Amino acid sequence: MKQTLYSLLKFWVKTSLYLYHKKITVNGLENVPKNKPVLFLPNHQNALIDILLLVVDCNRKPYFLARSDIFGNKRLNSFFKFLQMMPIYRIRDGRSSLKKNEKVFNTCAKLFKNNEAIFIFPEGNHGLKRKVRPLSRGFGRVLLGAWEKDPSLDIHIVPVGLNYKKATDFPDSAAVYFGKSFRALDFYNNEEPSASINNIKHEVAFRLQHLTTHIGDELNYSSVLAVLEEMQTNFLDPVETNKIVKSLNREALTEKEGKSVERKTSFFEMLFMILNFPMVLLWKKVLKPKVPEPEFKSTFRFGICLVGYPIFYTILFVICTLIWNWVVGAYVVLGITLFNLFYVRISNKRDK
């Protein structure tokens, strides 16, 4: 029963993600080992959207290690558990909390023993900047804990690059790149475990920097990003984007600043807001002001679409049926649905 519910939920979420985004492309699925213990290590930009994109398209039924502070709501905890998410505790959660990680590491070791797949965000936090942040040692402790239980565990590491046109905008486009896997044991020396983990970290960081846009020049970051945006660079293609980043003349960038472009409301955008007025109002007046960080903006917006639109369409259908008949109700709901799909596909990205 649980597996059936999981499959139905996965289908619902995947369908909603592909309707919500203008475009989603997935690359490198052939790099994901089957019937092997796998540790996926993706970059992290877009809060829960990152997790959902990975779950629906990784060809495995993975477990996730996520920062413990998102497990504060008991109702959401049940949902997270259903998604096979587990909390990982950091020093900022309190030194005493770190003891709870031992149980998590033991669970991970058992999962690897059973050839399961686990996702960990190695950067340890999320951020909208187009760069790979320094990797934490958290995933290294998971590996060491597993090898303490069974030194022969042949864990395969798959770096994953998540790329967005602009993560806070709607509609947005996304591209997921599953990099080539490598055997963690090839980098492991049981006599020098700390050095081994550092070697794995360097290898993962290097690969991630080729799977997503990486503007490593912190001093000129804003200037480089402004140039890329002015060039209308395709951020869904990290290989070409990183080539452009490397080719830019840093001396000419010091005075470059991003320019805000004033956009006019188009006819289709106005029509979208009229046809979806209750949902637009709910987003702008109720949920949007409660978004805690910019990284959660798409997560909150997608959440209201995932849950709210089935309710909205149902109420709309009932009202039309009561006023006219069910045929009219069906045509109204179908018409708005098709228009919304058309709008997402043709609309220029816009922060809403």
Side-chain angles (χ1 to χ4, degrees):
M1 183 63 179
K2 184 178 179 181
Q3 178 60 43
T4 301
L5 289 175
Y6 184 91
S7 298
L8 289 173
L9 178 62
K10 181 179 177 179
F11 175 78
W12 177 30
V13 171
K14 182 172 183 175
T15 301
S16 300
L17 282 170
Y18 277 77
L19 293 174
Y20 174 85
H21 287 84
K22 187 172 184 177
K23 179 182 180 183
I24 297 176
T25 58
V26 181
N27 309 271
L29 279 175
E30 68 277 4
N31 296 323
V32 178
K34 298 178 180 179
N35 301 318
K36 293 279 187 180
V38 174
L39 178 60
F40 290 100
L41 297 176
N43 64 308
H44 196 14
Q45 295 183 37
N46 205 6
L48 192 60
I49 293 292
D50 287 347
I51 295 176
L52 297 177
L53 283 175
L54 295 170
V55 166
V56 301
D57 276 319
C58 69
N59 282 353
R60 299 289 298 261
K61 187 183 177 184
Y63 291 78
F64 277 88
L65 291 186
R67 65 190 211 189
S68 62
D69 58 321
I70 72 170
F71 291 82
N73 187 303
K74 291 184 178 180
R75 293 178 181 176
L76 284 178
N77 283 356
S78 299
F79 178 65
F80 291 154
K81 185 177 181 180
F82 184 73
L83 292 179
Q84 302 188 155
M85 293 173 62
M86 299 179 290
I88 189 75
Y89 299 88
R90 302 165 296 174
I91 189 67
R92 70 187 67 178
D93 301 316
R95 191 170 295 275
S96 60
S97 299
L98 296 179
K99 297 178 182 178
K100 300 177 182 178
N101 283 334
E102 192 63 34
K103 181 179 179 180
V104 177
F105 295 157
N106 289 336
T107 300
C108 289
K110 293 177 182 177
L111 292 173
F112 283 137
K113 186 73 174 177
N114 292 328
N115 291 331
E116 298 287 357
I118 300 175
F119 270 100
I120 301 177
F121 293 107
E123 292 165 312
N125 51 37
H126 56 213
L128 291 171
K129 279 191 171 183
R130 298 185 186 276
K131 60 176 292 186
V132 177
R133 299 181 297 282
L135 307 190
S136 70
R137 293 183 61 86
F139 77 90
R141 288 194 285 269
V142 171
L143 289 173
L144 292 178
W147 283 326
E148 284 177 5
K149 302 292 182 182
D150 184 353
S152 66
L153 272 176
D154 188 20
I155 301 170
H156 290 246
I157 293 180
V158 178
V160 188
L162 289 158
N163 302 268
Y164 299 91
K165 282 278 189 180
K166 190 171 183 182
T168 58
D169 281 6
F170 172 80
D172 190 28
S173 296
V176 184
Y177 288 81
F178 291 90
K180 290 185 178 180
S181 67
F182 65 93
R183 298 176 67 247
L185 279 177
D186 291 342
F187 291 78
Y188 181 63
N189 182 344
N190 59 6
E191 296 181 0
E192 297 181 327
S194 182
S196 299
I197 295 303
N198 283 332
N199 290 336
I200 295 175
K201 277 178 58 180
H202 292 319
E203 182 66 19
V204 171
F206 174 78
R207 296 190 183 209
L208 284 178
Q209 288 169 13
H210 290 77
L211 295 168
T212 189
T213 299
H214 179 63
I215 306 175
D217 185 354
E218 189 65 33
L219 182 63
N220 294 304
Y221 176 86
S222 297
S223 299
V224 173
L225 181 60
V227 171
L228 294 176
E229 290 178 342
E230 188 176 291
M231 295 173 64
Q232 296 185 339
T233 305
N234 180 14
F235 290 112
L236 302 184
D237 186 344
V239 175
E240 289 302 316
T241 301
N242 286 327
K243 285 181 181 179
I244 296 173
V245 171
K246 291 179 180 179
S247 70
L248 294 177
N249 184 341
R250 293 299 188 270
E251 293 181 2
L253 291 171
T254 53
E255 302 298 325
K256 192 75 177 177
E257 295 182 0
K259 297 179 181 179
S260 57
V261 179
E262 185 176 349
R263 293 174 178 266
K264 294 182 179 180
T265 302
S266 69
F267 168 76
F268 288 116
E269 184 180 355
M270 182 62 69
L271 186 56
F272 175 85
M273 289 191 289
I274 293 172
L275 294 177
N276 297 272
F277 179 74
M279 296 298 294
V280 173
L281 186 67
L282 182 61
W283 163 243
K284 290 193 173 183
K285 298 300 182 182
V286 180
L287 275 184
K288 188 177 179 181
K290 296 181 180 179
V291 176
E293 301 174 87
E295 291 86 352
F296 280 98
K297 193 172 185 179
S298 287
T299 296
F300 274 59
R301 191 195 291 113
F302 176 71
I304 194 176
C305 293
L306 183 71
V307 177
Y309 265 100
I311 298 173
F312 170 58
Y313 286 145
T314 300
I315 293 174
L316 189 61
F317 175 77
V318 170
I319 291 174
C320 290
T321 299
L322 292 175
I323 296 176
W324 296 289
N325 55 60
W326 71 268
V327 176
V328 173
Y331 273 116
V332 169
V333 171
L334 179 61
I336 294 178
T337 302
L338 291 176
F339 171 79
N340 288 345
L341 181 59
F342 167 77
Y343 173 76
V344 168
R345 293 295 182 267
I346 60 95
S347 176
N348 291 322
K349 61 186 181 185
R350 186 181 178 90
D351 190 8
K352 293 191 180 114

